[in-house]
Amino acid sequence: MTSSHEPIEVTVEKIAFGGQGIARKDGLVYFIPFSAPGDRLMVRVTDEKKNFRTAEIQEILSPGPERVTPPCPVYGRCGGCNLQHISYEEQLRQKQNLVLEQLKKNLTTDTEILPIVPSPTPFHYRNRIQLKFDGQRLGFYERKSHTIIDLEDCLICDDRLTAQFSDLKKSLSEKKQPAPKVELFLNTENQVESSLSDSGPTEGLGFSQVNQAQNINLTSTLKQWISEDPSEKIYDFYAGAGNFTFPLLDQFRRSTVHSVELSEKSVKDAKRRILEMNLSPKRVQFFCSDVGAFLKRVILQDDSIAILDPPRVGCADQVIHSLAPQNLKKIYYISCNPSTLARDLTLLKNWKIGRLQAFDMFPQTDHIEVLAELVIDSR
Ligand SMILES: C[S@@+](CC[C@H](N)C(=O)[O-])C[C@H]1O[C@@H](n2cnc3c(N)ncnc32)[C@H](O)[C@@H]1O
């Protein structure tokens, strides 16, 4: 048995949920940040738990076949990306495997598993970022710290946002006002919007998908799957400002969409758009409500379709318990966290996954987006 202080040699098998590499030695599992599959490494243990160890790389004895030189000069220091040292093709393979591993208990022999959809651009894809400003430095936090890395560029951000960094820093410094949170957003007219806040939680610019080109792929797949068996009534739960609601209204002219969203700002934006588009309340209604509270007071129409796109924590138990027995045609669950998706699907007892596809919405990071088509389980 090796002492925790001695460096040990390991070979990395694969990437685990969360982005760290996994290696096994003498019956123990090692999680190693910034390692790549196939890496032969000398590592030093940094944390010991009963069943696993966390370790850091001391030396790369031989790199795995898909290890690449990360292009960003602050990679590893910055708290943003954690997969830049792995080729993009390998990131996709690892993410596909991770989704299947996380959902293994929820898959049946009938589940159609489609290949992960690559991001149209693996860099420069983010159209929304939150920066920090401490009076001098503007950028992201360093990994595991509250020190800000002063940034001139960020390789995963859209160039039109990074082009604002130096002017923004100048104007924030001149104002001499604290603004620890600075949000930049590229709107649908390709104009940069910003929101500053000095403390506490803020709705900022509201939720929007960060990778617009990939969001278009996700939305078209959702529309395609629904079009194979449409319904006159669609519920868009956790609707944001209508990212799915409006494309669905456009495609399914005979359907009514009822959308439910908690954020007042997003609901206000959606209602403004409904007015601008002159859409009748017979076609669309937006409700500013918690989804669980909505489901307590509303009985869903038989044979309707429900879309769920909750935050990373997944759906509240109450949401799952009230949806499970309803007479719905299909449920489309869009998840940015396969582990809470797996938990929610286990609770949705009489439903099973008909089709599954992952979308790489967040290249260079361990985050994964998944679309699951759920059908009544008649076994
Ligand atoms: C992952 S986002 C999806 C938004 C939208 N579907 C989109 O694609 O832009 C999750 C949304 O759920 C909203 N939300 C969070 N908790 C909620 C709740 N309990 N009830 C209703 N909406 C909630 C958030 O405000 C956020 O807009």
Side-chain angles (χ1 to χ4, degrees), residues 36-80:
D39 274 355
R40 203 159 60 80
L41 306 168
M42 289 307 288
V43 299
R44 192 184 65 85
V45 171
T46 51
D47 192 23
E48 292 190 21
K49 293 282 182 303
K50 193 167 163 229
N51 297 322
F52 68 90
R53 307 280 183 265
T54 306
E56 65 183 13
I57 300 177
Q58 285 219 311
E59 191 187 345
I60 299 176
L61 300 173
S62 64
E66 297 298 330
R67 181 177 266 282
V68 294
T69 305
C72 174
V74 292
Y75 181 65
R77 242 181 88 208
C78 172

Side-chain angles (χ1 to χ4, degrees), residues 128 203 206-210 215 218-219 236-245 260-264 266 287-294 307-316 319 334-336 361 369:
R128 183 163 55 95
E203 284 215 286
F207 180 88
S208 63
Q209 299 286 353
V210 298
N215 181 42
L218 170 64
T219 310
D236 185 6
F237 294 123
Y238 308 92
N243 180 46
F244 302 129
T245 303
V260 183
E261 164 60 45
L262 195 57
S263 152
E264 282 179 24
S266 299
F287 301 89
C288 189
S289 167
D290 165 67
V291 172
F294 179 88
I307 295 167
L308 298 171
D309 184 15
R312 283 183 67 73
V313 289
C315 298
V319 170
I334 296 127
S335 163
C336 54
M361 195 68 94
E369 190 89 1

